[in-house]
Amino acid sequence: MKLYLHYFSIHMKSMMQHKMSFFLTMIGQVIMTITAFFGIYFMFLRFHSVRDFTYQEVLLGYSVVLFSFSLAEMFARGFDTFASMISNGEFDRIMVRPRNEIFQVLATRIEFTRIGKFLQALFMMLYVFLTSDIQWNVYKVAVVVLMIAGGAALFSGLFLIYAAICFFSTQGLEFMNIFTDGGRELGRYPLGIYGNAVLKFFTFVVPLAMVQYYPLLYLTGRDNRAMIAFCPLAGFFFLIPSWILWRIGVRHYTSTGS
């Protein structure tokens, strides 16, 4: 942890060398995602509910996904750019160092510009806490925190899978964006509205519904089973197959000779 904090400090100092670029990039990140917020807002000006979900409930689901995605992008972005490490031979240096490969890849890049998305999600969540009809208590707040943590683990696992694929293809496969950026966009609304086939896929294959839709049912009183509150743990379990695929890739890695 001490070494990671040292990397954290280095990245922060590096970013602050170009303050204007940092703030403009952060603002650009906010603009990219705030359009989704306005899309939800204007839709609810005409339609007062989506499958019986109110405006505040939809915002809660979206803010959880955006919060989770921004955390994963901030701290696991190294996996998203892993293809360049393979092609330029940087991973060769990582392999001969005494530290764990995953730790080194994580430490190579920390995207502080994603703070803009993080703050946007935080403001939306605070708005929901203050205006929704949900009867908040410590237990429900803990469920929201678990949803965010599980979602961040899930998206980090997807980034890890993307990196693992690079061992076999040298270049990352863009179809993975369907599950990362696409998952974030799907999370604008409760996943149950997209139909049974989509809900099953994002429950049993990529468990995004486990960290967004099912806990949302519990928070809004649509499903009072206590076990639903623990569904976001699926995001952490998703890291297991992601890590296994990564280890398979590492064992089959051969240098590009760069």
Side-chain angles (χ1 to χ4, degrees):
M1 179 58 71
K2 183 178 180 180
L3 181 59
Y4 185 79
L5 291 176
H6 181 63
Y7 273 104
F8 188 93
S9 175
I10 291 173
H11 284 295
M12 177 62 78
K13 290 177 182 178
S14 174
M15 192 70 68
M16 288 298 101
Q17 293 299 312
H18 306 280
K19 295 182 178 65
M20 184 57 67
S21 174
F22 168 72
F23 286 113
L24 289 177
T25 304
M26 186 176 69
I27 292 171
Q29 291 290 326
V30 172
I31 292 173
M32 287 175 60
T33 54
I34 203 170
T35 54
F37 166 77
F38 282 121
I40 297 172
Y41 174 75
F42 288 124
M43 190 197 71
F44 271 91
L45 288 180
R46 182 175 181 85
F47 305 101
H48 300 296
S49 65
V50 176
R51 286 279 184 92
D52 295 327
F53 286 95
T54 66
Y55 176 59
Q56 287 83 2
E57 292 168 349
V58 169
L59 276 188
L60 177 59
Y62 179 49
S63 62
V64 165
V65 172
L66 184 59
F67 210 132
S68 302
F69 186 78
S70 63
L71 287 176
E73 270 201 315
M74 188 182 301
F75 295 107
R77 190 66 175 179
F79 293 118
D80 195 35
T81 58
F82 186 71
S84 62
M85 291 187 182
I86 294 287
S87 59
N88 64 20
E90 186 178 349
F91 192 68
D92 291 357
R93 294 196 296 272
I94 288 177
M95 290 286 287
V96 299
R97 292 170 181 164
R99 295 289 181 175
N100 179 271
E101 298 94 352
I102 289 180
F103 170 81
Q104 293 187 66
V105 175
L106 284 173
T108 56
R109 189 164 184 178
I110 301 174
E111 286 285 356
F112 292 103
T113 55
R114 269 52 182 183
I115 292 175
K117 292 180 182 178
F118 173 89
L119 293 176
Q120 181 184 343
L122 180 61
F123 289 142
M124 283 195 295
M125 196 167 290
L126 291 175
Y127 170 77
V128 172
F129 283 170
L130 295 173
T131 61
S132 71
D133 294 328
I134 299 174
Q135 300 300 313
W136 293 104
N137 53 43
V138 174
Y139 186 65
K140 287 189 176 181
V141 171
V143 172
V144 173
V145 173
L146 184 60
M147 292 167 69
I148 294 170
L154 171 64
F155 284 115
S156 297
L158 290 171
F159 286 135
L160 184 57
I161 291 173
Y162 175 87
I165 292 173
C166 296
F167 287 117
F168 307 98
S169 65
T170 305
Q171 297 296 323
L173 300 181
E174 293 302 318
F175 82 88
M176 285 300 298
N177 291 331
I178 296 173
F179 307 114
T180 52
D181 295 290
R184 181 197 64 200
E185 291 303 308
L186 278 174
R188 291 167 59 178
Y189 300 98
L191 291 177
I193 74 168
Y194 298 110
N196 194 47
V198 172
L199 182 61
K200 285 183 177 179
F201 179 86
F202 283 101
T203 298
F204 300 108
V205 182
V206 179
L208 181 61
M210 301 290 278
V211 301
Q212 189 242 36
Y213 179 66
Y214 296 111
L216 186 63
L217 295 180
Y218 175 79
L219 292 174
T220 57
R222 291 175 171 83
D223 193 329
N224 293 317
R225 292 176 295 172
M227 61 178 292
I228 298 294
F230 297 98
C231 283
L233 293 175
F236 295 99
F237 291 127
F238 185 74
L239 289 173
I240 297 174
S242 303
W243 177 80
I244 291 173
L245 183 60
W246 167 268
R247 293 308 305 166
I248 293 172
V250 170
R251 284 199 298 269
H252 288 80
Y253 171 71
T254 55
S255 174
T256 59
S258 301

